[in-house]
């Protein structure tokens, strides 16, 4: 069964500083990996995804993530954070051989200080 | 751009009452899902549905829960007798498996259920 670990529950970062959110996954085959963002009271918005090819993927809002098979990781990064990036971020692993079901991590809450 | 729509956006109900949450998936999608998120917690898988039957369900999805696709467009989640612990945001999602599919689930905005 697939699973995701997000080690950081809460991260506070200054506006303009860089951000990195960690994600480790467990899956027996090549995973499909995703980062979703959830603003307060809102739904889940896809930031980016990896399923094959280049291990550095670009997403919306200036985010990128790097798939490292050797470390079973898919960390999310942004070079310069904006106040609007304050939200909860969820890493998820998909299982194409298991009805494409997604398993989510517990999420990381990002607070941006001025 | 096509999207998954959910109704109602918020429902308040008394414990023991039946609740039906409705979803209209993207029209050419074939796999459908319900997830829930209890306040402050992770997004949890409830059930997946394909070819007019449940393909997988979690341990959360007990006999109080049911899903159906009554008319080829709507996808509903019914909770037969709600409990306080059913209070959560419920997300519907869909996807269209195929050679170009990258496993992305398309989520609705969610239906917030409050059980009093």
């Amino acid at each position: 069964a697939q699973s995701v670990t997000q080690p950081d529950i809460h991260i506070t970062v200054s506006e303009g500083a860089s951000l990195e959110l960690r994600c480790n996954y467990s899956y027996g085959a090549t995973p499909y990996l995703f980062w979703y963002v959830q603003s307060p009271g809102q739904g889940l918005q896809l930031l980016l995804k990896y399923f094959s090819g280049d291990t550095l993927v670009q997403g919306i809002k200036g985010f990128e993530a790097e798939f490292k098979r050797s470390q079973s990781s898919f960390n999310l990064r942004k070079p310069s954070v904006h106040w609007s990036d304050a939200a909860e971020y969820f890493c998820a692993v998909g299982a194409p051989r298991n009805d494409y079901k997604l398993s989510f991590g517990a999420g990381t809450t990002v607070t941006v200080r001025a | 751009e096509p999207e998954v729509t959910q109704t109602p956006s918020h429902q308040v109900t008394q414990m023991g009452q039946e609740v039906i949450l409705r979803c209209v998936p993207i029209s050419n999608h074939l796999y459908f899902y319900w997830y829930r998120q209890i306040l402050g917690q992770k997004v949890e898988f409830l059930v997946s549905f394909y070819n007019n039957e449940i393909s997988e369900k979690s341990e959360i999805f007990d006999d109080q829960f049911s899903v159906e696709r009554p008319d080829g467009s709507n996808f509903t989640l019914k909770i037969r007798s709600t409990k306080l612990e059913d209070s959560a945001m419920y997300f519907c999602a869909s996807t269209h498996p195929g050679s170009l599919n990258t496993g992305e689930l398309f989520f609705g905005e969610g239906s917030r259920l409050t059980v009093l």
Side-chain angles (χ1 to χ4, degrees), chain A residues 62-82:
Chain A
F63 284 92
E64 65 177 26
E66 187 171 11
F67 169 57
K68 292 185 177 179
R69 185 186 299 276
S70 62
Q71 298 176 18
S72 297
S73 69
F74 188 57
N75 294 347
L76 181 72
R77 297 192 292 257
K78 185 169 183 176
S80 177
V81 167
H82 186 262

Side-chain angles (χ1 to χ4, degrees), chain A residues 36-46 88 90 101-102 104-105, chain B residues 4-10 20-25 31-49 61 65 67 75-79 86-95 105-113:
Chain A
Y36 284 85
V37 62
Q38 184 182 35
S39 297
Q42 301 298 309
L44 296 165
Q45 181 182 23
L46 181 70
E88 186 149 23
F90 293 95
K101 183 184 81 172
L102 290 188
F104 286 83
Chain B
V4 176
T5 57
Q6 291 186 239
T7 55
S9 57
H10 189 188
I20 297 176
L21 305 178
R22 291 182 169 79
C23 170
V24 179
Y31 279 86
F32 313 108
Y33 310 82
W34 283 100
Y35 284 77
R36 81 169 185 192
Q37 184 184 31
I38 295 172
L39 187 64
Q41 298 186 24
K42 70 192 291 184
V43 179
E44 301 174 290
F45 168 78
L46 288 179
V47 65
S48 58
F49 191 87
F61 194 89
F65 291 88
V67 290
F75 178 52
T76 62
L77 174 69
K78 182 192 292 186
I79 309 174
D86 293 328
S87 295
M89 180 76 92
Y90 289 81
F91 291 105
C92 174
S94 67
T95 194
L105 299 193
F106 296 80
F107 286 87
E109 290 288 308
S111 294
R112 179 164 298 284
L113 175 65

Side-chain angles (χ1 to χ4, degrees), chain B residues 56-95:
Chain B
E56 186 177 349
K57 59 184 180 180
S58 72
E59 62 275 8
I60 302 168
F61 194 89
D62 61 21
D63 292 345
Q64 293 300 310
F65 291 88
S66 62
V67 290
E68 66 175 359
R69 191 158 155 80
D71 56 12
S73 62
N74 290 286
F75 178 52
T76 62
L77 174 69
K78 182 192 292 186
I79 309 174
R80 208 176 329 275
S81 176
T82 50
K83 302 187 285 287
L84 295 177
E85 53 265 38
D86 293 328
S87 295
M89 180 76 92
Y90 289 81
F91 291 105
C92 174
S94 67
T95 194

Side-chain angles (χ1 to χ4, degrees), chain B residues 7-22:
Chain B
T7 55
S9 57
H10 189 188
Q11 181 158 355
V12 181
T13 190
Q14 296 291 324
M15 190 168 55
Q17 295 297 303
E18 176 183 285
V19 161
I20 297 176
L21 305 178
R22 291 182 169 79

Side-chain angles (χ1 to χ4, degrees), chain A residues 2 4 6 12-13 17 25-26 40 42 64 69 84 87 89 97 99 101 105-106 108:
Chain A
Q2 71 257 41
V4 175
Q6 292 181 248
T12 299
V13 61
Y25 70 89
S26 173
Q42 301 298 309
E64 65 177 26
R69 185 186 299 276
S84 60
Y89 293 79
R97 293 183 295 178
D99 294 343
K101 183 184 81 172
T108 299

